[in-house]
Amino acid sequence: MSTKRNPVGWFEIYVQDMGRAIEFYEGTFGQKLEDLHMPELDMWAFPGECDGGGATGALVKMEGKDSGGGGTIVYFSCDDCGESAEKAVEAGGEIHLKKMSIGEHGFISLINDTEGNMIGLHSME
């Protein structure tokens, strides 16, 4: 692991219904995902910059890889994680943990997407 970069360089969220997942994430975060046109995989990337801070990643539909619960939670940065959690509900998801303070580090919320994945939302407000 390079000490010059943040520890996470890429993430993948596995899905079973790509159309439903795209609608959920675009509806929750208000940004368009981009089809990566992979030959063996259905992958749609979140917007990001190669030289930007943090990590970007993609929704992935891959034969033999289930979506759903697991041991990793990816946190998305938001202006207000409470508002983003409500948008997630409107987009078909569920709130697992309502907005809560994590002290000087801001606030978090946990939501379940339409594919059974739990994701985190983080904001400073």
Side-chain angles (χ1 to χ4, degrees), residues 2 32 35 41 43 52-53 58 60 62 76-77 94 97 101 104 108 112-113 115 125:
S2 170
K32 293 289 185 190
D35 187 351
L41 302 171
M43 292 183 81
V60 181
M62 181 171 68
F76 288 85
S77 297
E94 299 174 345
L97 175 69
S101 174
E104 67 182 88
I108 62 166
N112 294 315
D113 73 6
E115 306 304 299
E125 296 183 27

Side-chain angles (χ1 to χ4, degrees), residues 35-50:
D35 187 351
L36 294 181
H37 303 288
M38 301 296 288
E40 300 291 324
L41 302 171
D42 191 7
M43 292 183 81
W44 287 73
F46 290 87
E49 299 292 326
C50 291

Side-chain angles (χ1 to χ4, degrees), residues 64-99:
K65 177 62 179 104
D66 292 335
S67 59
T72 302
I73 297 178
V74 174
Y75 281 83
F76 288 85
S77 297
C78 308
D79 290 331
D80 182 322
C81 64
E83 288 179 11
S84 293
E86 292 300 326
K87 288 180 183 177
V89 171
E90 293 170 12
E94 299 174 345
I95 296 174
H96 179 79
L97 175 69
K98 290 185 178 182
K99 182 178 180 177

